[in-house]
């Protein structure tokens, strides 16, 4: 998806149709569409030819794109879970794994990257009825995703802004909520993780449309991707106007949210209320 998104933007800048691009690499409009949507593997030759067609000559940029093409052939750890994850979410996990900066606003639940196993199991089981095996696989995936921010070697930074309703909503009972709030406090002590709570007193705010995630790729020099999740699917936005709008919303949220130190005190008070 990351590579496909960049290729689409280069094509649009040149004013070329998918059909024209497909003809150039001895393919079809459908093939270009699948490539741009990240629904097919990438051949290095095709990527090199498309970059030439699109007028991309910067050597560092070409090397980055070729590396992404080669990496796209390597199976991700999440693919081991097969049917446990819908295809659209597998795409997201791949994007998340490549990101080195993640900013998330969550209105309903604690963000998945910060959930305890018990909390995650309670959230997932509260949705559509699924088998015990499928439930455990999805919980395992959620726990595995967290290594991306817990492993210092990845260099990934997470900034989570959480609506007060999300941390006050009782999920799984007092014991599970207590464990979840304690984990939030512990994770917020890491240098690469920032947690803020938007208090009820903030009133209406910039994210009235709901939760969203901003994925950033400074190591690759590629543009951000905005991720929006829905009940039966998701959307990944990468147009500059969309990125700017969501980035501005995130900036406004960070201003009205309680500072990290105050957030820790709020979470501690919530734990006391559970006793």
């Amino acid at each position: 998806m990351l590579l496909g998104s960049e290729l689409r933007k280069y094509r649009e800048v040149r004013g070329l149709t998918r059909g024209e691009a497909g003809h150039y690499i001895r393919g079809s409009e459908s093939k270009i569409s699948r490539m741009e949507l990240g629904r097919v593997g990438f051949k290095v030759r095709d990527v090199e030819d498309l970059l030439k067609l699109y007028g991309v000559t910067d050597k560092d940029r070409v090397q980055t794109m070729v590396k992404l093409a080669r990496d796209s052939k390597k199976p991700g750890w999440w693919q081991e879970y097969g049917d446990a994850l819908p295809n659209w979410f597998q795409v997201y996990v791949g994007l998340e794994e490549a990101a080195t900066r993640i900013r998330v606003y969550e209105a309903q639940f604690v963000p998945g990257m910060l959930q305890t196993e018990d909390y995650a199991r309670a959230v997932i089981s509260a949705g559509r009825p699924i088998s015990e095996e499928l439930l455990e696989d999805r919980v395992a995936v959620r726990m595995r995703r967290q290594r991306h921010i817990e492993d210092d070697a990845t260099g990934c930074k997470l900034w989570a802004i959480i609506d007060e309703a999300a941390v006050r909503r009782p999920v799984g009972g007092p014991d599970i909520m207590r464990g979840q709030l304690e984990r939030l406090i512990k994770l917020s002590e890491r240098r690469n993780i920032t947690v803020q709570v938007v208090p009820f007193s903030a009133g209406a705010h910039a994210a009235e449309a709901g939760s969203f995630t901003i994925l950033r790729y400074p190591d690759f020099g590629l543009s951000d991707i905005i991720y929006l999740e829905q009940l039966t699917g998701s959307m990944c936005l990468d147009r500059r106007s969309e990125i700017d709008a969501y980035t501005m919303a995130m900036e406004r949220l960070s201003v009205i949210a309680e500072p990290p130190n105050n957030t820790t005190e709020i979470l501690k008070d919530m734990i006391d209320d559970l006793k």
Side-chain angles (χ1 to χ4, degrees):
M1 175 65 191
L2 181 58
L3 176 56
S5 172
E6 290 296 305
L7 289 174
R8 177 183 60 75
K9 283 185 285 188
Y10 290 141
R11 176 180 60 77
E12 291 179 344
V13 167
R14 296 290 287 187
L16 297 169
T17 67
R18 292 190 180 92
E20 290 170 329
H23 178 73
Y24 189 79
I25 63 169
R26 303 157 297 280
S28 63
E29 177 180 352
S30 177
K31 178 177 180 178
I32 297 298
S33 178
R34 292 195 301 274
M35 290 175 67
E36 292 180 353
L37 291 172
R39 294 177 180 172
V40 66
F42 296 88
K43 294 181 180 179
V44 171
R45 178 183 174 183
D46 287 343
V47 171
E48 291 176 333
D49 287 347
L50 287 173
L51 292 175
K52 181 179 179 181
L53 174 65
Y54 300 157
V56 180
T57 58
D58 181 86
K59 291 183 179 180
D60 291 338
R61 181 54 56 91
V62 172
Q63 288 178 357
T64 294
M65 302 292 276
V66 168
K67 182 180 184 301
L68 288 174
R70 291 196 177 103
D71 290 347
S72 71
K73 298 179 181 179
K74 302 175 183 178
W77 61 262
W78 54 92
Q79 293 175 335
E80 300 174 8
Y81 292 88
D83 296 338
L85 299 179
N87 290 334
W88 55 266
F89 191 68
Q90 290 191 33
V91 170
Y92 171 71
V93 176
L95 292 172
E96 185 181 74
E97 281 286 301
T100 51
R101 301 289 186 275
I102 302 173
R103 298 184 71 180
V104 55
Y105 167 69
E106 180 56 64
Q108 186 171 4
F109 300 112
V110 171
M113 295 283 274
L114 301 175
Q115 293 179 5
T116 65
E117 186 172 330
D118 288 339
Y119 183 96
R121 185 174 290 106
V123 170
I124 296 171
S125 62
R128 296 180 179 180
I130 57 176
S131 68
E132 188 67 24
E133 180 180 4
L134 190 58
L135 170 62
E136 293 307 315
D137 279 348
R138 291 186 176 177
V139 171
V141 169
R142 191 160 298 185
M143 296 301 102
R144 175 64 179 80
R145 286 169 52 208
Q146 295 179 5
R147 297 185 193 177
H148 191 51
I149 59 170
E150 294 177 344
D151 184 353
D152 293 334
T154 67
C156 183
K157 294 184 178 181
L158 173 70
W159 189 342
I161 300 179
I162 312 170
D163 196 275
E164 184 174 346
V167 286
R168 286 198 179 277
R169 176 170 287 105
V171 174
D175 289 341
I176 290 178
M177 282 304 302
R178 185 179 302 109
Q180 178 60 72
L181 295 175
E182 289 172 345
R183 177 165 173 76
L184 276 179
I185 293 172
K186 182 177 181 180
L187 287 175
S188 67
E189 295 171 352
R190 293 181 59 96
R191 288 183 298 176
N192 66 316
I193 298 177
T194 300
V195 178
Q196 290 183 266
V197 167
V198 179
F200 290 140
S201 59
H205 53 68
E208 71 275 3
S211 308
F212 62 95
T213 299
I214 303 176
L215 302 173
R216 181 160 292 180
Y217 307 90
D219 292 350
F220 295 110
L222 305 178
S223 63
D224 296 354
I225 289 180
I226 310 299
Y227 175 75
L228 306 174
E229 189 168 312
Q230 302 164 330
L231 185 61
T232 58
S234 65
M235 291 191 297
C236 291
L237 312 177
D238 60 4
R239 300 184 188 280
R240 174 47 55 189
S241 60
E242 297 167 332
I243 294 171
D244 289 346
Y246 279 93
T247 299
M248 182 62 70
M250 188 68 81
E251 293 295 336
R252 290 174 177 169
L253 284 168
S254 69
V255 171
I256 67 170
E258 292 290 342
N261 289 342
N262 289 9
T263 290
T264 298
E265 294 306 313
I266 290 172
L267 296 175
K268 288 179 179 178
D269 288 343
M270 291 181 186
I271 292 174
D272 290 338
D273 291 342
L274 291 171
K275 294 179 181 179

